[in-house]
Amino acid sequence: MKIIHYISSISLKSFGTTTFIQSLCSELGKYHQVHIVTHYHKDAVVIKNCSIYFISSNLLHGMKKEWKNILNDIKPDIVHINGCWIPQCAYAQKWAKESGYKIILSPHGMLEPWIIKQNYWTKKLPALSLFQKEAIKKADIIHATSTIEKEHLSQLNYNQNIMIVPNGLDTKDLSIKSNWQRKKKILFLSRIHEKKGINLLLEAVAIKKETLKDYSIIIAGEGRESLIRKLKAQAKILDISNMVHFIGGVYGKEKWELYKDADILILPTYSENFGYVVIESLICGTPVITTQRAPWKDLINHHCGWWVKAEVNEISHAIDDYLSLTSNELKEMGMNGRKLVEDSYSIQKTSQEMIKLYQGLL
């Protein structure tokens, strides 16, 4: 089978979507002919077992010709489009569809209700009218990563042919932490973005600041400088600046060590179709607190974390629960989380599910 994935960027800083492409295509490429078409970024990640093509991003000059040349040369069985709201994604899909190719569209959470509401009148509605609604309607299959995302996509009522394949992680070279003695480190690791709910985390920490006075709250990730300044100002107002450390983007080996060094990961998100950082933390043996805006009821079902309302008091209560645990209880949660990822979210398992999705469409 010949598969082309189109994605606007495989930048290291694109987090979840790049991680998805890197993991999935590397695994798919062991069994099928996989090609990735994207646009140039100086910090593009390395992806094994596939061919990567960097084409023009200029819709008027270059992109259409280069994209169609690749389609004509490869003649793929499947064209898999990754992303929404970017005109290049919609037009890459349109031109492939016009050439008779089967299309799968992965929104990667970009069609979640919270996201659509942001700048709706100035950005989302014009994009829907010009290209995005048509792209959703014309896709042969919409790929959702969770039941929650499928429900939200179905509610849009643009295309009901929605199939679930969860994201996966290549676990074979990732070790678990060696001990669960408290290091008094609470970790947030993701993009610095309004939807991630970092403001909720800061407020919850402020409620517990006497109990957590010896703790470090590590905020790892990149984002707009204006938002980072706003969050630092909030920490100052809440009188927790001495506890909160914004350390910027962390990647590669340093990222995995950060997960292992933390006592717990908190993702206080307002909107998440999946949440890659959850499985990354669990595979390292670090329990997770996240909100019910993310599809992670598994944290409760498998006793490896907390799944609470996206409210300050709920996050604060979860922190209380975490603080009440012994190191042996934290170890048990850590081992449970590792097993959950290995059993249900390994890239080997999810890539086979994706292959079945492709074969079903063909």
Side-chain angles (χ1 to χ4, degrees):
M1 187 160 39
K2 292 186 286 187
I3 306 151
I4 290 182
H5 274 263
Y6 169 83
I7 184 170
S8 63
S9 168
I10 53 170
S11 166
L12 188 67
K13 299 174 183 177
S14 295
F15 286 94
T17 51
T18 294
T19 305
F20 167 81
I21 289 293
Q22 188 176 34
S23 298
L24 179 68
C25 291
S26 179
E27 185 65 22
L28 289 175
K30 295 176 182 178
Y31 313 101
H32 300 278
Q33 190 183 126
V34 178
H35 307 267
I36 298 171
V37 179
T38 186
H39 308 296
Y40 177 74
H41 284 81
K42 63 181 180 180
D43 56 357
V45 299
V46 174
I47 305 177
K48 297 181 290 185
N49 306 324
C50 60
S51 303
I52 300 177
Y53 307 79
F54 295 98
I55 64 171
S56 170
S57 61
N58 192 317
L59 288 171
L60 298 177
H61 303 286
M63 180 176 168
K64 183 176 183 179
K65 182 179 179 181
E66 292 178 42
W67 173 236
K68 284 207 160 189
N69 284 344
I70 290 171
L71 290 173
N72 291 336
D73 287 345
I74 296 170
K75 293 182 173 56
D77 299 296
I78 295 286
V79 175
H80 193 146
I81 304 293
N82 295 274
C84 293
W85 307 119
I86 298 169
Q88 286 83 353
C89 288
Y91 279 94
Q93 176 183 324
K94 180 177 185 290
W95 295 328
K97 191 70 175 174
E98 288 173 350
S99 298
Y101 294 105
K102 298 289 188 182
I103 304 293
I104 291 179
L105 171 61
S106 291
H108 295 291
M110 297 178 196
L111 295 174
E112 290 293 285
W114 191 93
I115 296 293
I116 292 176
K117 287 177 183 176
Q118 306 308 304
N119 304 307
Y120 179 77
W121 295 105
T122 57
K123 293 183 179 179
K124 299 304 194 312
L125 183 59
L128 283 168
S129 301
L130 290 171
F131 57 84
Q132 193 57 69
K133 184 187 289 188
E134 192 70 7
I136 300 165
K137 286 182 174 182
K138 291 291 179 68
D140 294 292
I141 291 176
I142 306 293
H143 162 229
T145 58
S146 64
T147 302
I148 288 177
E149 187 178 22
K150 181 177 180 178
E151 290 172 358
H152 291 158
L153 291 168
S154 181
Q155 288 164 11
L156 287 175
N157 204 29
Y158 297 156
N159 187 331
Q160 295 299 328
N161 196 12
I162 306 163
M163 306 295 287
I164 300 174
V165 176
N167 287 339
L169 186 66
D170 189 351
T171 62
K172 63 180 182 297
D173 294 324
L174 297 174
S175 61
I176 193 168
K177 62 171 65 178
S178 57
N179 74 77
W180 283 261
Q181 297 296 323
R182 292 185 194 276
K183 297 181 180 178
K184 297 191 174 182
K185 293 180 181 180
I186 293 173
L187 175 64
F188 168 92
L189 193 157
S190 192
R191 284 187 301 142
I192 307 296
H193 189 280
E194 287 86 351
K195 83 165 190 169
K196 299 296 181 178
I198 302 170
N199 59 309
L200 298 178
L201 172 58
L202 296 180
E203 290 180 49
V205 168
I207 291 173
K208 310 302 301 177
K209 64 183 174 184
E210 287 304 314
T211 308
L212 295 173
K213 62 183 178 182
D214 296 326
Y215 275 73
S216 294
I217 315 302
I218 300 165
I219 311 294
E222 299 189 39
R224 294 194 327 274
E225 283 300 321
S226 59
L227 178 57
I228 294 171
R229 286 195 299 270
K230 182 179 178 181
L231 292 168
K232 286 181 176 178
Q234 182 187 6
K236 186 174 182 179
I237 291 169
L238 294 170
D239 194 26
I240 56 172
S241 291
N242 61 319
M243 302 166 61
V244 180
H245 309 281
F246 289 82
I247 65 171
V250 180
Y251 307 100
K253 183 179 178 181
E254 186 181 358
K255 178 183 75 170
W256 297 112
E257 291 304 316
L258 200 59
Y259 280 124
K260 292 177 191 176
D261 204 39
D263 298 326
I264 195 161
L265 174 85
I266 302 183
L267 178 66
T269 183
Y270 289 112
S271 176
E272 213 73 42
N273 67 302
F274 185 77
Y276 239 110
V277 295
V278 173
I279 57 174
E280 289 183 338
S281 184
L282 294 179
I283 202 66
C284 293
T286 300
V288 174
I289 297 172
T290 193
T291 72
Q292 291 171 8
R293 303 288 183 87
W296 278 102
K297 192 175 182 180
D298 271 354
L299 294 175
I300 295 174
N301 295 340
H302 294 263
H303 189 55
C304 53
W306 294 261
W307 192 57
V308 300
K309 293 179 181 177
E311 298 172 2
V312 172
N313 286 336
E314 291 284 318
I315 296 166
S316 175
H317 292 328
I319 292 173
D320 274 336
D321 287 344
Y322 146 71
L323 290 170
S324 72
L325 299 177
T326 66
S327 57
N328 283 337
E329 289 170 326
L330 287 173
K331 179 178 181 179
E332 182 183 352
M333 292 186 81
M335 301 297 285
N336 290 342
R338 174 90 183 187
K339 186 175 189 305
L340 170 62
V341 178
E342 289 176 337
D343 289 349
S344 301
Y345 299 103
S346 73
I347 194 59
Q348 291 77 20
K349 182 177 187 296
T350 57
S351 66
Q352 289 304 311
E353 291 182 34
M354 188 64 77
I355 288 169
K356 289 178 183 176
L357 184 63
Y358 294 157
Q359 291 172 336
L361 177 57
L362 294 175

